[in-house]
Amino acid sequence: GMREGHPKRLATPAESMRVAAFTPSASSAAVGATTPTVKLLGVQPLTMTFTHAVIALGSDWGPGQLPESLNPFLLSPPVAGSVRWVTTSIARFDPDERWPTDLHLSVGVKPGLTSYEGLRVAADGFPRRFTTPGLTMRAGDVSSAAAAAATNGSWSPRLLPAAPGALELPPDASVELHFSHAVDRSA
C-alpha cells in the first residue's frame, strides 16, 4: 500500500482529526443554534479543509476517479461529480454539471476517514445542509396570427395587460418560454 515504509506516529486516544474549514458556508452572523442552510449556485465546488494531512505529500493517482477510500464527502442524495485533493489536507468536490434545481443536499464527512498518520475524523458540525434555487420560467415572445389579422398587425401581447406584467394570450397564441436551467422535455 501507499503507507508502507513510513513511520506512523501513535495518536493518543483523545486526539482526532477535525474539519477546520468548509466552504461554502453561511456567514458567521447567520450561525445560530442550528446549522443554517446554504444556497449552492452554478458549479460552485465544496471544499473541506482538515486539521491533519489525509494523503501523503506528492501522492498521485493519475487520471480518473480518486479511490473511494480517499473521498471524504458523503453527499445525500448523491450528485455526479469529481473529488480531488488540492493539498494533503484540502479536498474539493466539483459537480459534473450545474447543481440540479430544487436540490436539498446534506453533506457529511465519510465515517472511517483517517489522517495519513491514522487519526480518525471527528465529524462535529456535520452534516451541513444546502439547497439550490428552484426552476424558474418566464414568457418571452407571444405571437397570434388571428390577433395580428384582426388589428391590421398592430396587436401586441403587452398592449392592454389584464394585470401589470401580464401578457394577453389569444386562443391561437404561441408562447416562447425561457427557463433558468436546462429542462428535460421527455420527462
Side-chain angles (χ1 to χ4, degrees):
M2 288 181 279
R3 297 181 182 197
E4 289 165 17
H6 293 284
K8 261 196 178 184
R9 183 175 64 79
L10 292 177
T12 59
E15 196 177 358
S16 62
M17 172 175 66
R18 290 179 305 95
V19 176
F22 188 94
T23 59
S25 61
S27 68
S28 53
V31 178
T34 60
T35 309
T37 299
V38 177
K39 269 210 186 320
L40 288 174
L41 302 169
V43 292
Q44 189 172 18
L46 303 175
T47 308
M48 260 187 222
T49 304
F50 293 92
T51 54
H52 295 74
V54 176
I55 62 168
L57 190 60
S59 298
D60 184 18
W61 290 276
Q65 286 282 33
L66 187 70
E68 197 49 43
S69 62
L70 292 176
N71 173 5
F73 294 95
L74 195 58
L75 273 54
S76 177
V79 175
S82 58
V83 175
R84 66 186 175 92
W85 285 91
V86 182
T87 70
T88 58
S89 61
I90 300 175
R92 174 177 164 144
F93 174 85
D94 287 280
D96 286 345
E97 307 178 337
R98 290 174 62 147
W99 290 103
T101 60
D102 301 289
L103 178 69
H104 293 272
L105 181 70
S106 170
V107 179
V109 182
K110 192 158 291 167
L113 183 74
T114 59
S115 74
Y116 182 70
E117 297 171 325
L119 299 176
R120 294 187 74 74
V121 70
D124 32 308
F126 285 86
R128 301 284 178 100
R129 307 213 179 280
F130 298 89
T131 59
T132 58
L135 180 68
T136 58
M137 177 196 77
R138 66 177 175 80
D141 219 21
V142 178
S143 57
S144 165
T151 61
N152 209 15
S154 66
W155 175 81
S156 163
R158 291 172 177 82
L159 194 60
L160 297 168
L167 298 172
E168 182 182 0
L169 299 177
D172 73 326
S174 72
V175 182
E176 182 182 276
L177 300 177
H178 298 269
F179 295 90
S180 59
H181 296 75
V183 173
D184 180 2
R185 295 191 329 201
S186 66

